[in-house]
Amino acid sequence: MPSAMGVNDCGRPYKRLKRRVTADLSDFLSFGCSGGGGGEEVGGGPFRTRVAEFLGGRARATLPPSPFSSLAAWRVLFRVGDLDSSKVVVPLDVVEEDVTRSRSVYCDQCRVVGWSGHPVCRKRYHFIIRRSNETSLSQGKCRKSCSRCGNTYLLSDSRCKWCDCVITSEDVEEWVYSQLESNTHLLHGVIHSNGFGHLLSLNGREGGSAVLSGRDIMNFWDGLCTTLYVRKVSVMDVSKKYGMECRLLHSIAHGHSWYGNWGYEFSAGSYALTLDAYKRAIGSLSSMPLSPLLFHSRKPQTSLQRVIAFYLAIAETELLTLQDLFAFMSGLIREQGGVSKESAKKKPRTSKVLCAWSLEEVERVEQAMVRVLLAAVGEAGWVKRPALKGALYKSASPELLDYCLKHLGGKSTANGMVVQTRCNSTASAVEFRLETPSIGYDGSRFQLSHPSREHVIRDLKFLYSSLIFPETMVNYRPQATRERVRDSAAKLLDCKQFMKDYSCYEKTVKSPLNIHLWCHVELSDHSKDELHLPRELIVLPLNATVADLKAEVTKTFQDVYAMFKWFQAVGFPEYGLIEDSLSVKLLTGLNGSVRVHGKCLSMHGLNRFRMERGIENWTVDCVCGAKDDDGERMLACDTCGVWQHTRCAGIDNSDSVPSKYVCTTCLDSSIQAKKASGYGGNTTNMDFSISGATCRVQAMLTDDHKVGSNVNMSYGVP
């Protein structure tokens, strides 16, 4: 019987799985898709119930909760590809984290994507696929470095075999938490028990995957979120491809981020950038014409112009804008170096552009080009495209010359020779020469072949750094175009937060077999502040009463949110005083929403779980317009405590934060106060003290009692 080799994290074999075993596994590449074995085995309901059913039906426990008070882990296996050809098994580790006992209570990602007002959820679920050279969460295979001798040992051992050091449960827990904080996993996504989640890391072949591409892993993640009825997922796009910022390159080539292929849309920009500014930046870069960059009058052609002209020459369709150029080059890379020899034979190069010249005009120019090539046969042989075009610049218009050069390859001459073309990767130029065809000639060998994948990547990196990346772009004309490119590219680099709203969540939960109600809880015993309590889906049987609804709402919010440990649903203000025995179906129907009044009977020890932003009160009010934490580096004024971006305060990201800082608002207020007190000296170099001032105000004064402030500020968003 044929067998399949299971691999540990897409690379290493960890045990041999028989075909009968792999037949029971879902296909990783089609999971969550229609017919892919994604969601048919999991019942209806919100994320909190779907994930429990998913783990109960598919997973096996690898890290039982008994050794650790806050963590439990399961493993789900997936085969890669069809059953007959699949020889790879991918393990997905699922870690359930009890936040109330965890060392990390608050979620940094929630804070920067606009969910800082959400109450802290009781549980987080981590979905992890590890690299091939990493270990699994199975206790028998976990390896950790000994804190005493530095050698590695199995966490299932009781002592280090090298130094006889005792291995404690704290050592194991420390290793597991380090795995939750690592950014080297092929996939790491975390979903809170209320269905809001974050994609923390995704790495394809460049990130260490031996089997799966980044697109494969992203397809799986999207299918998993759909299957589990996740509500919203955010991602901070800081990914790179071949050393280039993906969010910049992909937005120019395709009009959206790479994650946009799966429905992730702009969520929030750093430095108060809006969706409108983001769209304008993409439009400005994508629509930038290439023709002004190629104009060089009588000056020698620059390297930038030579590379652009090279791809204009080999493209089968006309490339007019920067988007056309980057999309064409990205396509060549995806095709592993362009059209293969087999496909070239089946699909000869033809132009989709209507010819604006007569057949006689085209024939006349092509014959002139052949005569130039004939003259070069006895010399260097190969003639570069710019030289061939320059030799005939008086014979026809530049547009007609470009058209003829694009279709010159494979043309036969009167003496039986054929025009051969090639891509010179060293010179980034298309070259021509005449050759005598061999027996059995079919014309395909003389067609222009695309450059190698390495060649295209090299040129794309050159264009990226020279043309659009603000920190490395060269000086090129027109200057106004360059400044516009720099400004738009900087804006795109400052837009990192993207989000997908899985709207199918609300559509697919409707069923005639149950009552589905979205419940929005209002706390009657708490003042209205920045707390934003998401509504939760309640599923009830058809014969449920109002008392059943109260009990289910109480249980749901107690299970989902840590601060609601002693929560109790009291009533429904939209319906007034109603009997507990009343049928919910008669009151609301099968689907709808309802407001619920509730109260927390006790908040003792639970205030720290009130919001994801934490218990500290902090205010963001930056000159760029930002009013909340956006994940960028900030500093607080030593006088008023208000936070603002270091970049907006004139401090480069490479510079350290000053030990004392006073914002311009506080500085201006101090100057005005000093003027009002009758001081008539130079207000820019004052020597004063303020009676009764707090230590924050006194922090304005440097050691020599002069006002110190970082006042060289940039008020515009670059």
Side-chain angles (χ1 to χ4, degrees):
M1 180 180 294
S3 61
M5 178 65 74
V7 297
N8 178 18
D9 312 318
C10 313
R12 283 184 179 172
Y14 65 92
K15 68 177 180 178
R16 187 168 290 274
L17 296 175
K18 294 185 177 180
R19 188 174 186 272
R20 177 180 57 81
V21 177
T22 59
D24 298 330
L25 305 181
S26 295
D27 180 17
F28 184 92
L29 301 179
S30 61
F31 180 77
C33 302
S34 177
E40 65 273 16
E41 299 177 11
V42 182
F47 168 77
R48 61 183 181 273
T49 58
R50 300 275 286 193
V51 69
E53 294 168 358
F54 173 78
L55 295 175
R58 295 173 178 268
R60 62 178 177 86
T62 59
L63 189 66
S66 53
F68 313 110
S69 59
S70 62
L71 300 172
W74 295 265
R75 166 159 292 188
V76 185
L77 300 179
F78 295 88
R79 58 180 169 84
V80 177
D82 298 332
L83 180 60
D84 294 333
S85 60
S86 177
K87 294 185 178 180
V88 175
V89 174
V90 178
L92 171 71
D93 288 318
V94 184
V95 181
E96 180 188 85
E97 181 183 7
D98 186 344
V99 179
T100 61
R101 295 183 175 93
S102 174
R103 63 175 65 177
S104 177
V105 173
Y106 307 113
C107 176
D108 292 335
Q109 287 73 31
C110 282
R111 191 182 70 249
V112 301
V113 300
W115 301 340
S116 61
H118 286 191
V120 176
C121 291
R122 283 190 59 192
K123 295 180 179 179
R124 302 188 194 113
Y125 293 88
H126 298 262
F127 298 86
I128 299 173
I129 299 176
R130 285 170 171 73
R131 293 190 307 178
S132 58
N133 60 348
E134 292 183 315
T135 55
S136 67
L137 277 180
S138 175
Q139 280 189 286
K141 298 177 182 178
C142 294
R143 288 188 175 273
K144 183 182 183 297
S145 297
C146 178
S147 58
R148 176 180 295 181
C149 66
N151 293 309
T152 60
Y153 57 81
L154 293 174
L155 292 183
S156 57
D157 298 336
S158 59
R159 291 179 176 273
C160 174
K161 66 179 182 180
W162 303 98
C163 64
D164 202 36
C165 176
V166 177
I167 301 172
T168 64
S169 60
E170 288 77 12
D171 294 329
V172 182
E173 188 173 15
E174 179 70 28
W175 180 88
V176 175
Y177 272 111
S178 70
Q179 295 299 295
L180 299 184
E181 298 168 359
S182 173
N183 60 359
T184 62
H185 303 311
L186 301 187
L187 171 68
H188 184 189
V190 60
I191 304 175
H192 301 277
S193 53
N194 62 358
F196 291 79
H198 316 279
L199 178 56
L200 302 181
S201 64
L202 188 145
N203 295 289
R205 292 192 175 95
E206 283 192 53
S209 173
V211 177
L212 303 171
S213 66
R215 187 172 294 271
D216 294 334
I217 300 173
M218 190 64 199
N219 284 336
F220 172 81
W221 168 253
D222 193 54
L224 180 67
C225 291
T226 302
T227 298
L228 298 180
Y229 284 174
V230 174
R231 298 169 73 171
K232 291 184 179 181
V233 176
S234 74
V235 60
M236 178 181 285
D237 187 1
V238 292
S239 56
K240 293 187 177 183
K241 191 73 171 178
Y242 313 119
M244 298 174 283
E245 297 288 349
C246 234
R247 63 186 180 279
L248 175 58
L249 190 63
H250 202 279
S251 295
I252 297 174
H254 304 285
H256 55 77
S257 73
W258 183 75
Y259 296 98
N261 294 323
W262 292 269
Y264 285 76
E265 299 179 347
F266 174 88
S267 172
S270 301
Y271 307 101
L273 287 173
T274 62
L275 175 61
D276 185 57
Y278 174 71
K279 290 182 176 180
R280 287 201 308 268
I282 291 180
S284 176
L285 289 173
S286 300
S287 61
M288 188 184 80
L290 298 175
S291 54
L293 299 174
L294 296 173
F295 179 76
H296 54 84
S297 64
R298 296 183 179 180
K299 294 182 180 180
Q301 194 177 43
T302 64
S303 299
L304 183 62
Q305 293 168 334
R306 184 170 62 253
V307 172
I308 295 175
F310 172 71
Y311 288 94
L312 295 182
I314 67 174
E316 296 185 9
T317 56
E318 195 172 12
L319 306 181
L320 300 176
T321 64
L322 191 62
Q323 182 180 45
D324 297 336
L325 176 61
F326 280 12
F328 173 65
M329 297 178 71
S330 299
L332 292 180
I333 295 173
R334 286 196 304 271
E335 295 167 7
Q336 297 293 318
V339 181
S340 63
K341 295 181 179 179
E342 291 75 11
S343 61
K345 293 179 181 179
K346 298 177 182 179
K347 184 181 178 181
R349 289 171 55 85
T350 58
S351 176
K352 298 179 182 179
V353 181
L354 293 177
C355 184
W357 303 275
S358 65
L359 182 61
E360 290 76 12
E361 290 178 299
V362 174
E363 188 68 25
R364 175 182 61 81
V365 174
E366 288 182 344
Q367 290 297 333
M369 291 179 177
V370 169
R371 288 194 294 271
V372 174
L373 296 177
L374 280 171
V377 169
E379 300 175 4
W382 290 102
V383 178
K384 289 183 174 59
R385 186 182 185 277
L388 185 56
K389 181 179 179 180
L392 300 171
Y393 77 98
K394 292 183 178 180
S395 302
S397 65
E399 294 76 15
L400 177 54
L401 291 174
D402 289 335
Y403 179 85
C404 294
L405 286 168
K406 192 178 291 290
H407 301 88
L408 189 60
K411 181 177 178 59
S412 300
T413 64
N415 60 357
M417 302 185 77
V418 179
V419 178
Q420 164 75 311
T421 60
R422 75 173 184 182
C423 293
N424 188 329
S425 59
T426 303
S428 291
V430 178
E431 297 179 334
F432 303 84
R433 79 174 178 185
L434 292 175
E435 291 186 5
T436 302
S438 58
I439 299 175
Y441 159 72
D442 61 0
S444 62
R445 187 171 70 86
F446 293 88
Q447 298 290 340
L448 178 64
S449 60
H450 286 155
S452 66
R453 184 170 183 267
E454 292 72 20
H455 180 189
V456 180
I457 292 175
R458 184 196 68 192
D459 287 345
L460 184 59
K461 292 173 68 174
F462 170 75
L463 291 178
Y464 172 87
S465 61
S466 302
L467 193 60
I468 62 172
F469 192 62
E471 296 180 6
T472 58
M473 60 193 308
V474 299
N475 287 321
Y476 57 83
R477 294 181 179 274
Q479 189 65 25
T481 299
R482 182 184 183 276
E483 292 303 318
R484 185 168 61 253
V485 168
R486 182 183 182 279
D487 179 72
S488 298
K491 284 184 170 65
L492 290 185
L493 290 173
D494 286 335
C495 295
K496 306 170 186 174
Q497 300 292 346
F498 299 88
M499 188 180 299
K500 180 171 182 178
D501 187 349
Y502 285 84
S503 57
C504 62
Y505 178 88
E506 299 188 21
K507 296 178 182 178
T508 55
V509 294
K510 296 180 180 179
S511 168
L513 303 178
N514 297 99
I515 300 174
H516 296 82
L517 295 178
W518 288 97
C519 295
H520 180 76
V521 167
E522 299 173 351
L523 295 176
S524 57
D525 53 347
H526 285 73
S527 60
K528 294 184 178 179
D529 52 13
E530 297 179 353
L531 178 67
H532 176 68
L533 187 59
R535 58 181 185 170
E536 293 296 328
L537 179 66
I538 305 297
V539 181
L540 297 169
L542 295 178
N543 61 350
T545 64
V546 171
D548 297 329
L549 177 57
K550 289 181 180 178
E552 189 62 27
V553 171
T554 298
K555 180 180 183 301
T556 295
F557 279 82
Q558 287 179 353
D559 291 344
V560 173
Y561 298 107
M563 68 169 285
F564 281 64
K565 181 178 181 179
W566 307 110
F567 169 79
Q568 182 178 357
V570 177
F572 309 95
E574 296 173 326
Y575 301 102
L577 296 176
I578 53 177
E579 295 292 333
D580 285 350
S581 59
L582 183 65
S583 172
V584 176
K585 180 179 178 181
L586 296 177
L587 192 67
T588 63
L590 294 180
N591 301 282
S593 61
V594 61
R595 290 169 53 209
V596 181
H597 268 177
K599 61 181 180 179
C600 293
L601 302 179
S602 173
M603 288 293 294
H604 179 70
L606 301 177
N607 282 324
R608 67 189 184 114
F609 302 122
R610 183 170 181 79
M611 288 186 291
E612 289 285 4
R613 64 175 291 163
I615 58 177
E616 295 181 357
N617 291 323
W618 41 265
T619 303
V620 175
D621 188 10
C622 188
V623 292
C624 68
K627 301 296 183 183
D628 204 351
D629 189 358
D630 56 10
E632 303 296 339
R633 193 174 72 151
M634 291 186 172
L635 81 167
C637 173
D638 285 311
T639 300
C640 63
V642 175
W643 292 80
Q644 61 179 302
H645 297 114
T646 55
R647 194 175 85 178
C648 296
I651 304 172
D652 292 336
N653 289 332
S654 58
D655 296 337
S656 59
V657 176
S659 58
K660 295 180 181 180
Y661 173 77
V662 180
C663 66
T664 54
T665 301
C666 291
L667 181 62
D668 292 340
S669 299
S670 299
I671 294 175
Q672 294 300 324
K674 194 63 179 179
K675 285 183 177 180
S677 65
Y679 180 80
N682 185 357
T683 58
T684 62
N685 197 16
M686 297 182 296
D687 181 11
F688 65 89
S689 61
I690 302 176
S691 61
T694 64
C695 58
R696 287 184 177 271
V697 175
Q698 293 295 342
M700 295 169 53
L701 306 178
T702 60
D703 294 337
D704 58 352
H705 305 292
K706 305 291 176 63
V707 175
S709 175
N710 216 359
V711 295
N712 296 322
M713 304 182 68
S714 173
Y715 288 85
V717 179

